[in-house]
Each structure stands twice: as C-alpha cells, then as structure tokens.
Amino acid sequence: MKYTITFLFMIISLFINVFINSIVAAPPVNHSYKKLKAFEVLEKKCNACHLKDKKNYFFTLDNMDGFAKKINKQVFIKKKMPKGVENNLTNKEEQILKTWVESELAKK
C-alpha cells in the first residue's frame, strides 16, 4: 500500500510537471507583422512550385529570414521569380515582400 501511494504521487507529479512545462517552457514566437504579411505572399506565390521543384527552398516562418538575400536577388534584382503569369506579384504583394526583405537585409 505504501509503495502504491508513492507510485501514484510520482505519476501525478510527473503529469503536473509536464503540464506546467508545456505552458511555461514554450512561449509563442512573436513574429512581426511585416514578416507575417511577407510569409503570406511567399506561401501564396512561391511555395506551391517550390514544394514540387525546389523542396530545399520551401519557405516557412522559421526559415524565411535566412532566404531574404536570395529572395531579394531573384525577385527584385534579376526579376526571375516568381515564375508563371499566375504567380506574378501584385504591386501590393511586391511592396510587402520588399519591405520585409529590406528590413532583414538591414539587420545583417
């Protein structure tokens, strides 16, 4: 009986600890508004093709900052991306992406 109570106490403590850690240890990531809007553009205009053809260049909120320099080069300097008429950026999308890219490049 003594071991059963001790074991029960250990199990309850474990569950409480896991529950508290899941709340406290992983605060939500606070992405900037600029970044979220830019990601919407990347997701809408780039990820569909990249998922099929260039899986290493599939954009996520976590990896997109590392691609800012390449995005600037391909989209704004060489004007090679996005490919296809259906993926052309609107003026608004272009401005959103450019604002984010410039803010990322300024950090480096």
Side-chain angles (χ1 to χ4, degrees):
M1 178 75 171
K2 178 181 174 185
Y3 293 110
T4 306
I5 292 172
T6 303
F7 180 74
L8 225 83
F9 179 76
M10 286 173 53
I11 295 293
I12 291 169
S13 296
L14 177 67
F15 280 114
I16 290 171
N17 196 10
V18 168
F19 176 74
I20 289 173
N21 282 337
S22 70
I23 293 172
V24 176
V29 176
N30 186 14
H31 296 293
S32 74
Y33 179 75
K34 276 190 282 193
K35 182 174 182 171
L36 292 173
K37 296 306 283 181
F39 179 67
E40 287 177 10
V41 174
L42 293 173
E43 195 170 43
K44 181 179 176 185
K45 300 291 179 139
C46 307
N47 276 346
C49 287
H50 284 221
L51 184 59
K52 289 186 289 186
D53 302 329
K54 294 190 169 232
K55 291 181 180 165
N56 292 339
Y57 294 98
F58 186 78
F59 303 112
T60 67
L61 281 168
D62 292 331
N63 75 7
M64 65 188 271
D65 294 347
F67 288 110
K69 189 174 180 179
K70 287 184 180 185
I71 291 169
N72 185 54
K73 185 176 181 180
Q74 293 299 319
V75 175
F76 300 110
I77 296 172
K78 290 186 172 185
K79 305 227 183 257
K80 285 186 164 186
M81 295 288 169
K83 291 184 179 179
V85 175
E86 68 279 359
N87 292 323
N88 282 342
L89 297 176
T90 65
N91 290 339
K92 184 176 180 179
E93 290 168 333
E94 189 172 311
Q95 190 56 49
I96 288 168
L97 202 55
K98 190 171 192 75
T99 300
W100 168 76
V101 164
E102 288 173 349
S103 71
E104 283 304 306
L105 295 178
K107 292 179 186 177
K108 298 172 181 175

